[in-house]
Amino acid sequence: DTAVSQTPKYLVTQMGNDKSIKCEQNLGHDTMYWYKQDSKKFLKIMFSYNNKELIINETVPNRFSPKSPDKAHLNLHINSLELGDSAVYFCASSLGRTGTYSYEQYFGPGTRLTVT
Amino acid sequence: AQTVTQSQPEMSVQEAETVTLSCTYDTSESDYYLFWYKQPPSRQMILVIRQEAYKQQNATENRFSVNFQKAAKSFSLKISDSQLGDAAMYFCAYEGGATNKLIFGTGTLLAVQP
């Protein structure tokens, strides 16, 4: 009965490779997010999708490309991986906003990406 | 731009005692939301408590309560009767404006001493 799941949980790869992280939620939410947590534990939004439409795209290198095949899934593809991409990547989901009311976000378990 | 500041990188509390974690934020918005998230060593992000800025009453969830001072832009978390399982990194987060992205503080690592 996992709410927000991510695969894989750990990913070790070499510089220059291309990799994907998958996220799925079974909460019926229509808004999904990707956050990055760096080595100092700082968390920052990367992307957000609402009903498969990109609504937030922070200053992220073009090597990062999110894809939402349906509103229950949001995948993150990273091209030409660099050492600085090593981090924990969190997927989250929520019901988004209704009028001025904002619903809380539920996080997945995170994917620890290590680039060597 | 909105910012969130947590000025205590680390805190320590004795089991069964009370501890308060500080958070300040900066925003020009009038409607926004504030959150405290807990991240134990398992790295799972767990929502602890949430506060709507339009509510004057401070939010409480069992042993967790907040002191929300809107004019001072302060949002502290009080943990009463601390338990060993409370040991974790605690993040203060802000959400407001046109999008519902969370803006996080740098976190406070809480240790609970038996």
Side-chain angles (χ1 to χ4, degrees):
Chain A
D1 59 345
T2 304
V4 184
S5 60
Q6 293 179 230
T7 52
K9 288 196 172 57
Y10 297 92
L11 184 54
V12 180
T13 188
Q14 291 185 326
M15 283 176 56
N17 285 349
D18 303 339
K19 290 293 178 185
S20 292
I21 305 171
K22 296 186 177 182
C23 177
E24 177 181 2
Q25 54 93 6
N26 62 5
L27 297 167
H29 292 165
D30 49 17
T31 304
M32 296 183 72
Y33 315 78
W34 279 110
Y35 289 87
K36 177 181 179 180
Q37 186 173 41
D38 64 22
S39 59
K40 295 183 179 175
K41 302 285 190 180
F42 186 63
L43 275 149
K44 191 166 190 265
I45 184 81
M46 299 174 71
F47 302 103
S48 175
Y49 271 75
N50 179 267
N51 275 323
K52 303 193 296 176
E53 182 181 344
L54 182 66
I55 56 172
I56 296 174
N57 185 352
E58 293 289 294
T59 309
V60 177
N62 291 338
R63 300 180 295 102
F64 290 79
S65 53
K67 283 189 172 50
S68 181
D70 55 61
K71 68 177 193 178
H73 295 84
L74 179 61
N75 303 324
L76 183 65
H77 188 75
I78 315 170
N79 289 327
S80 303
L81 277 155
E82 300 177 357
L83 292 175
D85 297 333
S86 295
V88 178
Y89 293 84
F90 285 97
C91 177
S93 76
S94 82
L95 287 169
R97 286 192 163 178
T98 302
T100 57
Y101 187 83
S102 187
Y103 292 88
E104 50 261 39
Q105 297 179 26
Y106 294 85
F107 283 75
T111 296
R112 180 177 294 281
L113 171 65
T114 303
V115 182
T116 62
Chain B
Q2 296 93 353
T3 58
V4 177
T5 302
Q6 292 180 251
S7 58
Q8 305 153 316
E10 296 182 13
M11 293 280 285
S12 183
V13 63
Q14 291 291 128
E15 203 174 358
E17 297 294 309
T18 295
V19 65
T20 299
L21 308 184
S22 300
C23 173
T24 58
Y25 59 95
D26 190 25
T27 184
S28 56
E29 301 286 341
S30 56
D31 286 328
Y32 52 88
Y33 298 80
L34 297 162
F35 305 86
W36 279 98
Y37 278 88
K38 169 185 177 181
Q39 187 178 40
S42 67
R43 82 167 179 247
Q44 178 71 52
M45 293 290 289
I46 301 164
L47 178 63
V48 174
I49 201 163
R50 137 195 189 120
Q51 175 80 45
E52 290 87 352
Y54 60 83
K55 289 188 178 177
Q56 291 187 335
Q57 187 172 7
N58 289 325
T60 62
E61 287 287 343
N62 300 314
R63 299 182 294 107
F64 298 87
S65 61
V66 298
N67 184 1
F68 173 47
Q69 301 288 329
K70 191 172 184 179
K73 294 181 182 170
S74 169
F75 181 61
S76 59
L77 175 70
K78 184 170 88 171
I79 306 174
S80 304
D81 184 26
S82 296
Q83 300 175 359
L84 294 177
D86 294 335
M89 182 75 90
Y90 286 82
F91 291 97
C92 179
Y94 165 98
E95 182 197 318
T99 66
N100 60 341
K101 68 180 182 182
L102 288 171
I103 298 171
F104 287 91
T106 50
T108 296
L109 183 62
L110 177 67
V112 180
Q113 309 299 332

